[in-house]
Amino acid sequence: MPRQVFFYDQPERFVAGTVGQPGARAFYLQASARGRITSVLLEKTQVAALAERIEEVLDEALRRSGGDVSIPAAAPQDLLDTAPLDLPLEQEFRVGTMALAWDSVDGCLVVEAQALIEGEDDDEDSTAAVFEDDDNGPDMLRVRLSGAMARVFAKRALDLVAAGRKPCPFCNLPLDPEGHLCPRANGYRR
């Protein structure tokens, strides 16, 4: 089956969002422009890693340019997006591999999220196949963002990850609303 590439060049909206209650949330990346919406499912750790790495790439691009590129040092308050995910929420694929790059010619960040390849062993051949850009590769979401929009995405994503369950003050594991069996309390519920 031929690969699908969902491409957004400076979308109207690119956000990370969740569905469900803390402890049972599903995490999504969602891009939208001109009435078209693409949503992909990923793990909480992938959202956190993507946001942290975006911040690092933007900081490095700003440093290397000597301040000549238009990347704000922090997310502009007037661009912050706290709205829920757009509906209908239809998952295109589950994310496996992600990549980031700074396009110094156009002055934008390129984010790629490729579909998880199921049933393949984790060897060099399957890893190399993910990075090939042929017609039979995994489906992909490719988004090009301005520096300001990338900062806004990263801030929202980091806030989203931090809004999960509070940690236990004793063992630092996440607390469920009904408590948890704390290993530091010898099996008693806290």
Side-chain angles (χ1 to χ4, degrees), residues 86-103:
D86 293 328
L87 297 176
L89 185 60
E90 297 174 3
Q91 169 189 326
E92 298 295 338
F93 57 84
R94 177 179 284 278
V95 174
T97 303
M98 295 185 295
L100 286 175
W102 178 256
D103 182 344

Side-chain angles (χ1 to χ4, degrees), residues 8-119:
Y8 290 84
D9 191 1
Q10 306 301 328
E12 295 163 8
R13 189 167 193 232
F14 181 61
V15 296
T18 61
V19 173
Q21 295 298 315
R25 296 186 294 176
F27 286 78
Y28 291 89
L29 291 181
Q30 189 176 73
S32 60
R34 295 184 292 279
R36 183 172 67 118
I37 301 169
T38 303
S39 303
V40 297
L41 182 69
L42 70 168
E43 299 295 324
K44 177 181 181 178
T45 55
Q46 289 175 300
V47 173
L50 179 61
E52 291 166 2
R53 189 68 183 126
I54 284 174
E55 290 286 355
E56 292 170 8
V57 168
L58 293 176
D59 290 344
E60 182 64 16
L62 192 58
R63 186 188 68 76
R64 286 188 181 193
S65 73
D68 291 339
V69 294
S70 62
I71 300 173
Q77 293 296 318
D78 59 326
L79 295 179
L80 291 179
D81 182 351
T82 58
L85 294 170
D86 293 328
L87 297 176
L89 185 60
E90 297 174 3
Q91 169 189 326
E92 298 295 338
F93 57 84
R94 177 179 284 278
V95 174
T97 303
M98 295 185 295
L100 286 175
W102 178 256
D103 182 344
S104 59
V105 174
D106 293 335
C108 66
L109 183 75
V110 181
V111 179
E112 290 184 354
Q114 293 187 355
L116 181 65
I117 301 173
E118 296 190 29

